[in-house]
Amino acid sequence: MTARDSRPTVLTVVGARPQFVKAAPLGRALRRRVREFLVHTGQHYDRDMSDSFFEDLGIPAPDRGLGLGSGPHGKMTGRMLAGLETVMAEVRPAMVIVVGDTNSTLAGALAAAKLGLPVAHVEAGLRSFDLRMPEEINRRVTDHVSDLLLCPTPTAVRNLAHEGIRRGVHRVGDVMADAIRLHLPRARRRPRTIELAPRSYYLATLHRQENADDPERLGAVLEALSCLRHPTVLPLHPRTAQHMDALGLKAGGLVRLVPPQPYLEMLRLQAEARAVLTDSGGMQKEAYLLGTPCITLRETTEWVETLRGGANRLTGADPRRIARAVAAVERKRPRWDPRLTYGDGHAAERIATIIAAAVRSRR
Ligand code: UD1
């Protein structure tokens, strides 16, 4: 941001891994039209979980880092709310942009709404209809205080209509499709850091509170992964590592535990895996966009479109259901065209155009 730039300022809040991925294409498109002031709450702070994403994705350094770290939900969200309020009161942006469904999203949306600043929510309208998930609470509250609701899919638009939200709703496509379009060629050119031939392994991730914080479910998923007949790469999220250590749980069989992987390495690992097994929201969609079958270690998904034709299967944490889903994918690899669902990989341009028009009309 240069001192002489007289264009309106928008303030984007990021904090956790999935937001860095989405903020990259978004920031590029926004900065062509408005000034972007980027705030990092510090929800994710390890090098593996944060800095490497900024480097891989070419995101400019944040204009402000709050360095707040993680913690229990209330405390974390409360600290972010206070920190973001101070920055927003100082910067007085024409609009605040929040992304996805993390505690950073919720804190950003609430801080802005309380200051009377308009809010744009990127990835609005997603619902798992499971209020035990912190992310579901974050999405719902954020949507209800947002002025611009930028939806990836028609399902998301319908979900909002069911809750009476119709104003400011736009279907724009999915920014993760943009991220893949921009970064996959680079990911494929990089030397592999994990030496496994394409289609010779499964890729698994596990971090959702409902799995990582529940000893029985965590043990059941690890058991299921340990029974797979091909190597399974498991980049271990710090939350999961903490619980495995505390409970003395181990992964056996052909499971390879590795640290959280940088974005580009993760893209390539997903693109070349036999299948992805995950409880992540973002990876279900990335696998779908990359044409890799997904097995989702949850009972619900907000990305319902991915379930069509067996591209994604819900198994919860039940080892028998997981084994059956893997066998089904091995018997016949499903095929699909992701463009029909998540757009053409130009969502960020659409979003930036809508936001720029909105802030100009408010001047
Ligand atoms: C958060 C988001 C989730 C998103 C995920 C991506 C919420 C409610 N959840 O979950 O939607 O899919 O990020 O990864 O916002 N930790 C570290 N180092 C780090 C980051 C976290 O050690 O860099 C530890 C924390 O101290 C904490 C645990 O990991 O004990 C969980 O982190 P937290 O930010 O609470 O949530 P995630 O599980 O990462």
Side-chain angles (χ1 to χ4, degrees):
M1 191 162 96
T2 61
R4 275 172 298 149
D5 193 341
S6 63
R7 299 174 302 167
T9 303
V10 299
L11 185 151
T12 305
V13 179
V14 294
R17 260 187 326 190
Q19 285 157 337
F20 309 143
V21 173
K22 295 161 201 168
L26 201 57
R28 265 194 213 202
L30 280 170
R31 285 164 195 251
R32 283 200 282 273
R33 297 165 173 86
V34 288
R35 284 199 292 174
E36 187 189 39
F37 190 97
L38 187 64
V39 184
H40 185 346
T41 62
Q43 178 173 352
H44 286 174
Y45 45 88
D46 287 348
R47 195 187 141 67
D48 286 349
M49 302 281 287
S50 177
D51 299 358
S52 82
F53 282 72
F54 277 73
E55 286 159 23
D56 267 6
L57 295 162
I59 308 172
D63 295 285
R64 196 69 56 85
L66 300 182
L68 294 173
S70 309
H73 285 280
K75 200 167 167 190
M76 183 201 313
T77 313
R79 282 199 311 241
M80 287 178 188
L81 189 53
L84 287 166
E85 183 179 60
T86 307
V87 182
M88 288 176 194
E90 181 193 313
V91 176
R92 294 303 308 176
M95 183 165 276
V96 169
I97 302 169
V98 295
V99 186
D101 58 14
T102 71
N103 291 337
S104 301
T105 314
L106 173 65
L110 275 184
K114 296 261 182 181
L115 288 170
L117 297 171
V119 180
H121 184 201
V122 175
E123 242 178 37
L126 297 184
R127 296 292 180 267
S128 65
F129 303 99
D130 179 358
L131 270 169
R132 288 168 306 179
M133 289 176 70
E135 292 83 1
E136 181 73 359
I137 301 168
N138 295 345
R139 291 179 199 122
R140 288 190 189 211
V141 177
T142 301
D143 283 340
H144 282 266
V145 297
S146 292
D147 302 83
L148 284 180
L149 298 109
L150 304 154
C151 298
T153 60
T155 314
V157 174
R158 269 198 304 278
N159 288 339
L160 291 177
H162 283 145
E163 293 173 23
I165 305 177
R166 291 189 177 80
R167 280 189 55 189
V169 175
H170 302 264
R171 179 187 166 193
V172 289
D174 199 301
V175 278
M176 279 173 89
D178 297 34
I180 289 180
R181 181 179 61 75
L182 293 170
H183 302 296
L184 185 61
R186 258 187 338 127
R188 288 197 190 279
R189 281 197 302 273
R190 294 209 334 174
R192 286 189 175 78
T193 54
I194 296 175
E195 262 316 323
L196 282 169
R199 300 279 179 266
S200 69
Y201 63 91
Y202 301 113
L203 177 68
T205 73
L206 191 60
H207 77 272
R208 275 259 123 62
Q209 183 175 304
E210 74 206 59
N211 287 328
D213 295 12
D214 179 330
E216 247 172 63
R217 290 180 70 98
L218 181 56
V221 172
L222 292 172
E223 182 200 321
L225 298 181
S226 306
C227 293
L228 296 177
R229 299 216 181 106
H230 293 278
T232 301
V233 180
L234 175 55
L236 210 51
H237 187 288
R239 172 193 282 278
T240 315
Q242 283 163 20
H243 288 285
M244 283 174 68
D245 273 355
L247 296 163
L249 288 172
K250 299 229 167 350
L254 300 176
V255 176
R256 277 202 207 177
L257 295 181
V258 296
Q261 294 295 301
Y263 175 70
L264 293 178
E265 186 62 20
M266 233 18 214
L267 263 193
R268 185 211 282 255
L269 281 168
Q270 290 184 81
E272 296 182 348
R274 300 175 81 83
V276 165
L277 296 95
T278 188
D279 59 7
S280 150
M283 279 182 55
Q284 292 172 52
K285 196 177 39 185
E286 273 171 349
Y288 187 85
L289 291 165
L290 292 163
T292 303
C294 186
I295 290 151
T296 295
L297 309 165
R298 288 172 41 192
E299 308 296 341
T300 56
T301 178
E302 39 294 327
W303 303 107
V304 287
E305 304 81 7
T306 60
L307 298 174
R308 274 183 234 135
N312 184 12
R313 291 161 200 264
L314 298 175
T315 61
D318 178 351
R320 269 174 310 185
R321 284 166 70 195
I322 297 171
R324 272 204 300 275
V326 172
V329 165
E330 290 291 352
R331 243 187 337 267
K332 188 166 186 293
R333 200 180 162 88
R335 291 189 189 286
W336 60 91
D337 182 354
R339 283 167 308 184
L340 301 178
T341 319
Y342 293 115
D344 53 4
H346 293 276
E349 287 293 324
R350 273 179 225 115
I351 293 172
T353 306
I354 293 166
I355 288 176
V359 296
R360 259 185 245 112
S361 75
R362 282 171 192 268
R363 273 191 139 184

